[in-house]
Amino acid sequence: MFGKKAQPPIKSLIAQGTHIDGNMKFNEGLRVDGEVFGDIHATSEDGSLLVISEAAVVQGGIVADHVIINGTVRGPVHARELLELQPRAKIDGDVSYVALEMHQGATICGSLKPLMAGEASTEDEKPLLKLATKNA
């Protein structure tokens, strides 16, 4: 399901020490190492990747296909495909996802809302939930 598509390349970087006020839109891949005070929304129809690094702080909503978080997010997170929460991820907001991978140490203060993938899903299907372990 998720292994079939290649990851979009990260073409944009918000470097550590950079502070952005305002909403952002991006295509393909974006890595955030700095601070963003506003929403971050992926507009790409061919898949998108958003990486929030350990030093990053985002205060606003996030929407992308594949979201990897290892920093702090204060706002809702919507992963249209896969949400990966690394050990230092801290989310203060509601989270929606099709598949979730959460490492030990990651925290969420908000509700979790599993979504169904595309038209092929039915109401009886359960969302994919993958637990990450150190021994894997």
Side-chain angles (χ1 to χ4, degrees):
M1 179 171 164
F2 297 104
K4 295 178 185 176
K5 275 198 301 191
Q7 290 275 0
I10 294 179
K11 293 185 174 181
S12 301
L13 168 68
I14 298 171
Q16 192 168 2
T18 303
H19 177 99
I20 295 178
D21 285 311
N23 297 334
M24 298 179 54
K25 291 184 178 183
F26 73 96
N27 285 315
E28 296 184 357
L30 170 66
R31 178 182 171 100
V32 178
D33 292 341
E35 298 176 330
V36 176
F37 291 86
D39 296 340
I40 301 174
H41 191 272
T43 59
S44 179
E45 295 180 15
D46 294 333
S48 58
L49 172 63
L50 175 61
V51 179
I52 308 296
S53 75
E54 183 177 339
V57 175
V58 175
Q59 190 157 334
I62 290 175
V63 177
D65 293 327
H66 185 174
V67 180
I68 302 171
I69 300 174
N70 200 25
T72 302
V73 177
R74 295 183 194 103
V77 175
H78 179 78
R80 294 182 288 226
E81 291 179 5
L82 175 62
L83 174 61
E84 292 183 47
L85 301 179
Q86 300 294 321
R88 297 188 188 272
K90 292 180 181 25
I91 299 174
D92 187 5
D94 295 340
V95 174
S96 58
Y97 56 89
V98 172
L100 173 66
E101 180 178 323
M102 187 171 182
H103 292 257
Q104 184 175 352
T107 60
I108 300 171
C109 183
S111 65
L112 298 174
K113 182 181 177 188
L115 304 170
M116 295 300 150
E119 301 81 29
S121 65
T122 66
E123 291 182 9
D124 296 331
E125 271 187 311
K126 302 275 188 225
L128 175 65
L129 180 64
K130 179 179 175 184
L131 300 176
T133 63
K134 291 183 179 181
N135 298 337

